[in-house]
Amino acid sequence: MKILLLDKNHPLITDQLLAKNFILEEDFTSSYDEVCNKIEQYDGVIIRSRIPLDKNFLEKGKKLKFIARVGAGMENIDIPAAEKLGIQLINSPEGNRDSVAEHVVGMLLVIMNRLFIASQEVKNGIWKREENRGDELLGKTVGLIGYGNMGKATAKRLSGFGCKVIFHDIIPGLSDEYATQVTLDELKKSAEVLSLHIPLTSETHYLIDEAFIAGMEKDFYFVNTARGKNVKTKSLVNALKSGKIKGACLDVLEYEKSSFENIENENEDLIYLLQSEKALVTPHIGGWTHQSKEKLAQFIVDKIVASYC
């Protein structure tokens, strides 16, 4: 089988697939149109986020048997078109679930205990104790939306902090030793921390908006390591200003480029988040550890080999 690699990934992908007699070609620079013009030559494609695989692209790939995304999200692929064309879709959410879960916990500890703020103050000769009094995770009710690989890994870690973890998911019967499944209304009634672990779809686009936030019974901390467009930023900013959201931990932003490589545009809401002590912002690195890079690639290789060797 002839496979086209469109993004740089861990070298184990190339090493192990070549050892299994796959034919590999790398193209990390060609434009969408240039790739479209040659995609009919390949049986498989391995991607991250550089090029969108829309209906036009997929129809040109007349030999395509599979698309493998090194990561979890599949929003840059026209899934209905791929399924209609009989193209297998492969991803590797198992590979970065642990790094995402640790990132969630790390961000919460930093913002709830004012660690970054206090550290910067001390480095600048400012010594404030009462003003930097923290808020404990112990005893908090944490609500997760989405209970797949990322949600489960996060629940496992938060349960170790003495949190009561509840979650809402569209798939029933997912409760386990770390978290209890509830309705969305029950989650809104009880949660003191809200964390998103969902894909970006038409149903989850702007899921967190004015109405959702107003429906939360308690003031709460908010974490998003899912996708930026799951959240309406203006609604988030207004809630931070009012105190309804006590602090926001954002690894993803509505204004990211589709490739996740940088910010697409700036506005007053983004500027507020970047300047506010109540917001912690990181550059889409929740699933980006040294260990996850290798694990993401290994799961992809294992799945390709299982299907085509």
Side-chain angles (χ1 to χ4, degrees):
M1 294 181 69
K2 191 174 181 181
I3 302 174
L4 178 63
L5 288 74
L6 288 175
D7 298 271
K8 292 181 180 180
N9 285 294
H10 195 286
L12 73 81
I13 293 179
T14 302
D15 294 343
Q16 294 186 21
L17 290 180
L18 285 174
K20 293 290 185 179
N21 297 317
F22 289 92
I23 300 168
L24 305 183
E25 290 187 14
E26 296 178 344
D27 185 345
F28 305 146
T29 58
S30 290
S31 68
Y32 167 87
D33 288 334
E34 289 170 333
V35 177
C36 277
N37 288 336
K38 65 178 183 179
I39 192 60
E40 64 181 10
Q41 306 171 38
Y42 301 95
D43 301 289
V45 180
I46 299 177
I47 64 167
R48 282 199 62 86
S49 304
R50 188 172 70 86
I51 288 180
L53 275 58
D54 57 13
K55 183 179 180 182
N56 173 63
F57 183 102
L58 299 176
E59 289 179 343
K60 289 180 181 295
K62 299 185 184 303
K63 292 175 60 180
L64 279 179
K65 296 177 177 64
F66 74 86
I67 298 164
R69 180 170 189 270
V70 184
M74 305 284 273
E75 67 270 15
N76 60 329
I77 303 169
D78 187 331
I79 294 175
E83 291 175 344
K84 185 176 180 180
L85 292 166
I87 301 171
Q88 181 185 6
L89 299 179
I90 301 169
N91 64 345
S92 54
E94 309 91 343
N96 61 357
R97 59 189 173 195
D98 297 312
S99 59
V100 168
E102 290 188 12
H103 201 84
V104 170
V105 175
M107 292 185 90
L108 280 171
L109 292 173
V110 168
I111 204 159
M112 292 174 69
N113 292 282
R114 297 176 59 85
L115 299 180
F116 181 76
I117 297 165
S119 177
Q120 290 298 108
E121 288 177 350
V122 173
K123 289 179 179 181
N124 288 306
I126 301 168
W127 190 273
K128 294 181 179 180
R129 296 185 68 222
E130 183 59 35
E131 294 88 342
N132 286 309
R133 196 180 286 274
D135 193 7
E136 294 180 6
L137 265 172
L138 178 67
K140 293 281 192 299
T141 297
V142 180
L144 310 178
I145 300 183
Y147 206 62
N149 282 280
M150 313 303 175
K152 290 176 183 177
T154 301
K156 182 177 181 179
R157 283 154 181 81
L158 288 171
S159 66
F161 280 84
C163 297
K164 177 183 178 182
V165 186
I166 58 177
F167 70 90
H168 175 71
D169 196 288
I170 58 174
I171 300 172
L174 297 179
S175 293
D176 59 22
E177 61 187 302
Y178 303 115
T180 302
Q181 190 161 6
V182 298
T183 67
L184 192 55
D185 286 340
E186 290 175 300
L187 185 145
K188 289 181 178 180
K189 182 178 180 179
S190 302
E192 298 163 277
V193 178
L194 177 67
S195 185
L196 301 187
H197 302 276
I198 50 178
L200 180 62
T201 67
S202 57
E203 289 76 22
T204 64
H205 186 268
Y206 285 169
L207 175 67
I208 308 302
D209 59 8
E210 295 93 337
F212 191 103
I213 293 168
M216 295 288 288
E217 187 167 308
K218 301 177 181 180
D219 296 346
F220 64 100
Y221 294 95
F222 177 68
V223 188
N224 189 13
T225 54
R227 288 292 184 260
K229 289 183 173 61
N230 293 139
V231 180
K232 193 171 186 179
T233 306
K234 183 168 289 295
S235 306
L236 172 66
V237 167
N238 289 338
L240 284 168
K241 290 178 178 178
S242 72
K244 181 66 178 180
I245 294 181
K246 299 162 75 173
C249 304
L250 308 172
D251 184 49
V252 292
L253 293 166
E254 179 183 352
Y255 311 115
E256 283 180 80
K257 290 183 177 180
S258 59
S259 64
F260 310 138
E261 291 303 314
N262 213 319
I263 299 297
E264 193 164 42
N265 59 73
E266 291 192 12
N267 56 44
E268 61 181 3
D269 293 322
L270 177 60
I271 292 170
Y272 174 86
L273 291 176
L274 299 181
Q275 296 177 346
S276 175
E277 288 188 348
K278 297 171 70 175
L280 187 64
V281 184
T282 53
H284 206 134
I285 56 171
W288 207 249
T289 60
H290 296 290
Q291 292 80 9
S292 71
K293 182 177 183 180
E294 181 173 348
K295 288 189 283 187
L296 285 165
Q298 190 63 64
F299 276 105
I300 285 294
V301 170
D302 291 346
K303 291 178 181 181
I304 292 172
V305 168
S307 293
Y308 298 102
C309 284

